[in-house]
Amino acid sequence: MAGTNLYHIYLADIPYDDEDTVKYRPGLLILPGKDTSRVFKITSRTTKSSRIQAVYYPIKNWKAAGLSKASFIDTHTTYSIPTQALTARKLIGHLSDADAIGLANFIAEHQTEIAAVHQEARRKILKEHPADTYLKRRGLDR
C-alpha cells in the first residue's frame, strides 16, 4: 500500500449522498486498504442545515493541509474508494497532528449527532433509491 497514509488528503471522485453521481473534491483518508480505502469528504460549504453542520469538523490548519480555503471534514459518512483510483489522483496534503487529534476528539464527543445524521441521510436515500443501488455505491454490497 505504498503511498496511502492515514490522514492524507487526496482529490478524488466522492459520491454525493443522495445521487448516483460523484464530485471531484478533497477526501481525507481514514482507513487505507489494499483494494479499497475509506475517506471522509471535505467541504468548504457552510450552507447546509445546522444539523448537518454540527457534524462538520473545522480544519484548523487548512492551509498547511494543502487546502485552498477554510474547510470542514464531514464526519457523517465514510465513502469507499478503490485505493488505486485514490492514489492515482492528486495528493494535496495531510492533516496536522493537532487536527488529527482534534478530529478524533470531535468524533468521540459527537457520536450521537453523527449517527443521527448518518441514519437520516440513509433513510432518505433508501426512500429515493433501491437498497442495492445505495449499497453498491457505498461499497457495502459485499
Side-chain angles (χ1 to χ4, degrees), residues 23-95:
K23 180 177 181 181
Y24 187 60
R25 67 178 326 136
L28 175 68
L29 182 61
I30 58 164
L31 186 60
K34 182 179 181 222
D35 298 317
T36 303
S37 293
R38 305 289 292 181
V39 300
F40 280 134
K41 68 181 175 184
I42 295 177
T43 185
S44 60
R45 295 190 61 188
T46 57
T47 57
K48 297 286 185 173
S49 71
S50 59
R51 182 171 169 80
I52 292 174
Q53 287 185 50
V55 298
Y56 281 6
Y57 171 76
I59 301 172
K60 294 172 182 41
N61 299 308
W62 55 270
K63 284 183 185 175
L67 299 163
S68 61
K69 53 184 141 180
S71 299
F72 306 87
I73 299 167
D74 184 345
T75 64
H76 91 278
T77 298
T78 61
Y79 301 87
S80 291
I81 307 286
T83 302
Q84 185 176 13
L86 184 67
T87 58
R89 297 295 186 127
K90 184 177 181 187
L91 171 65
I92 60 173
H94 59 86
L95 283 189

